[in-house]
Amino acid sequence: MRIMGLDVGSKTVGVAVSDLMGWTAQGIETIQINEEEEKFGMDRLKELIAEYEVEKVVIGLPKNMDNSIGFRAEASIAYGDLVKAETGLEVDYVDERLTTVQAEKMLINEGNVSRKKRKKVIDKLAAVILLQNYLDAH
């Protein structure tokens, strides 16, 4: 069963998918969205779901450090509800606190990637990290 991981922001959604065995996560792309204009990239997301034969979607839940649900987490849940309604797939959530920070550190320390290039891949890498965390836990 292939699982898709999404790192949802207000302007982009990082996308990762698992291998067929559900062991490893690979980054696919970053979808441009615009929450203010209610443009959520569903057409592209559905294309990727069909292309990779995804059976389940995991969305990062950016909880506050005190474990409470804030505005960004509520926005991620709303995005998950939209994904479920548009695709009919099961949607699960994974605590993603600090995955973007972790991704940025990886790009700086291990990849020596410039700030400009980091901005282009950070959300995709965060999606890989959150999906890999989910796969490892399950």
Side-chain angles (χ1 to χ4, degrees):
M1 167 166 80
R2 208 180 281 259
I3 301 172
M4 178 176 278
L6 303 177
D7 179 55
V8 180
S10 61
K11 298 184 188 223
T12 61
V13 176
V15 182
V17 295
S18 71
D19 65 339
L20 289 171
M21 301 297 290
W23 292 345
T24 62
Q26 299 87 31
I28 300 301
E29 70 179 67
T30 301
I31 299 172
Q32 299 299 314
I33 67 169
N34 188 326
E35 278 185 352
E36 289 180 9
E37 296 177 9
E38 297 185 3
K39 295 179 181 176
F40 299 108
M42 280 298 129
D43 289 340
R44 181 61 184 146
L45 187 65
K46 288 191 275 188
E47 288 173 1
L48 292 171
I49 287 169
E51 179 180 344
Y52 289 95
E53 300 175 349
V54 171
E55 297 179 30
K56 183 178 191 177
V57 176
V58 175
I59 295 178
L61 193 60
K63 292 181 177 181
N64 294 323
M65 293 310 287
D66 66 359
N67 208 33
S68 64
I69 301 291
F71 173 75
R72 280 307 327 147
E74 288 175 357
S76 292
I77 292 168
Y79 195 87
D81 290 343
L82 182 60
V83 170
K84 190 183 298 185
E86 291 278 329
T87 67
L89 293 177
E90 178 185 351
V91 174
D92 203 356
Y93 299 91
V94 62
D95 187 348
E96 69 147 49
R97 281 178 281 192
L98 304 177
T99 55
T100 301
V101 173
Q102 184 181 358
E104 189 159 20
K105 284 183 179 179
M106 286 174 66
L107 291 170
I108 293 169
N109 298 334
E110 296 174 24
N112 198 21
V113 178
S114 71
R115 183 181 307 270
K116 185 176 180 181
K117 289 181 182 174
R118 280 196 309 263
K119 195 170 186 179
K120 292 180 182 179
V121 298
I122 194 86
D123 297 318
K124 181 170 58 172
L125 183 54
V128 170
I129 293 168
L130 74 87
L131 179 56
Q132 190 63 58
N133 289 343
Y134 180 86
L135 296 173
D136 291 347
H138 293 86

